[in-house]
Amino acid sequence: MASDFDVAKTLDCKGESCPMPVVKSKSAVDDLSSGEVLEMVSTDSGSISDIDGWAGGTDGVELLEQEEGDDLYVHYIRKTS
Amino acid sequence: MSTDTPSTPGNDPPSRAELAARIEELEEELASVKDAESSGGDKMSIIATKGTLDMAYPPLILASTAAAFGYDVTVFHTFWGLDILHEEHSKDLKLSSVGNPNMPVPNVLGALPGMDKVTTSMMERRISDNDTATIEELIETSLEMGVEFQACQMTIELMDYDEDAFFDDVETGVGAATAVEDMAEADIQLLI
């Protein structure tokens, strides 16, 4: 799965279920600089809705794109502040 | 009898100066409200009262998730909810085999000796098979995210628990007033 984004960090959340993909994404984003993009790879089908909800309700993050592959859900999140 | 003309507030239209002063007053008030809003941040207050394996999950999952949203989260643990914060007991939380008609075990069999152990290990196997986080992982993660766990002092004494038996960073020596204060300031309050 090739991304169009300049990914600063990839977070592997494969095999983890709610709430870990969201919680670990938050910690990973905290470690980025403003403008950098986090790629988070999950096997949790709930992560599509959860990451969308989290990014929408949280200051300083922007959800750029979500991709669904073979039981794999990839999320691109930009730190905005 | 006074000969003064009684003042009749409300009848005369306010002067330009009065209006300007009123606008300035309101602008100051609005600024202070905005300040309070932005400096306070969002808060969530959870009261955790249950200590069964199934009921230990909701407060921890919601607390860690809200922390990821940027909420300041406080979880006040009281009665059986204390066991979630108890380092030893939290590893050994049980699922009751009776009282839940959705369980695959009929209540009449669930009441037999040792059945809680059976249903608990069944649930633990499912948790492991589904890669669901353990209670310990959720507590550690929540603490890392800045969630504040409080253990109710009255129930610590009622249950005769040692204050040192709780996870590090758990706040003891707090009571209902602390919980009410947190709830009053919180945007979300939950009793679980």
Side-chain angles (χ1 to χ4, degrees):
Chain A
M1 222 174 280
S3 89
D4 301 332
F5 308 104
D6 189 6
V7 172
K9 183 179 180 180
T10 297
L11 174 68
D12 182 2
C13 288
K14 290 197 282 285
E16 303 207 52
S17 57
C18 173
M20 288 308 182
V22 165
V23 167
K24 290 194 170 174
S25 293
K26 157 70 177 167
S27 299
V29 163
D30 282 348
D31 292 339
L32 296 184
S33 304
S34 180
E36 288 187 326
V37 176
L38 172 76
E39 177 184 55
M40 192 277 278
V41 184
S42 172
T43 46
D44 174 19
S45 61
S47 68
I48 291 287
S49 170
D50 273 5
I51 291 292
D52 186 31
W54 166 69
T58 305
D59 291 337
V61 293
E62 179 194 1
L63 179 59
L64 300 173
E65 198 173 300
Q66 295 178 304
E67 291 172 1
E68 284 189 48
D70 297 331
D71 291 327
L72 220 53
Y73 305 87
V74 187
H75 313 262
Y76 296 95
I77 302 145
R78 191 201 306 276
K79 180 170 183 161
T80 56
S81 64
Chain B
M1 196 193 233
S2 166
T3 53
D4 290 346
T5 314
S7 65
T8 50
N11 286 353
D12 293 331
S15 71
R16 193 175 283 256
E18 278 169 341
L19 280 176
R22 183 71 185 131
I23 286 171
E24 198 177 317
E25 209 175 283
L26 287 171
E27 274 175 350
E28 273 172 25
E29 214 173 301
L30 180 66
S32 73
V33 168
K34 278 186 176 166
D35 268 2
E37 230 176 38
S38 60
S39 66
D42 293 327
K43 289 193 171 140
M44 183 180 197
S45 163
I46 300 175
I47 313 294
T49 63
K50 306 265 198 267
T52 53
L53 181 57
D54 50 330
M55 291 307 281
Y57 274 93
L60 297 177
I61 290 175
L62 292 170
S64 54
T65 303
F69 272 72
Y71 281 76
D72 283 336
V73 185
T74 308
V75 192
F76 182 86
H77 292 247
T78 187
F79 282 86
W80 309 111
L82 282 179
D83 284 339
I84 302 171
L85 299 182
H86 194 286
E87 244 176 311
E88 266 176 46
H89 295 188
S90 69
K91 294 185 181 80
D92 200 24
L93 299 179
K94 304 274 198 306
L95 183 72
S96 175
S97 55
V98 292
N100 181 355
N102 290 336
M103 291 284 286
V105 181
N107 273 342
V108 65
L109 293 180
L112 292 172
M115 281 309 284
D116 283 344
K117 218 169 184 173
V118 173
T119 48
T120 300
S121 55
M122 192 182 73
M123 186 57 129
E124 281 171 344
R125 202 164 49 241
R126 281 180 177 241
I127 287 168
S128 162
D129 289 350
N130 282 286
D131 295 316
T132 304
T134 63
I135 294 300
E136 199 175 356
E137 281 167 347
L138 285 172
I139 288 176
E140 277 167 10
T141 305
S142 300
L143 284 169
E144 278 167 24
M145 315 265 316
V147 172
E148 188 178 325
F149 289 109
Q150 301 175 332
C152 164
Q153 192 63 32
M154 184 274 279
T155 38
I156 290 176
E157 285 162 26
L158 186 69
M159 308 284 209
D160 203 17
Y161 283 164
D162 184 348
E163 279 181 38
D164 297 330
F166 298 105
F167 285 95
D168 292 344
D169 299 326
V170 167
E171 193 183 345
T172 55
V174 293
T178 309
V180 171
E181 189 187 13
D182 280 332
M183 285 189 275
E185 289 173 357
D187 304 280
I188 303 175
Q189 304 95 347
L190 293 173
L191 173 74
I192 301 179

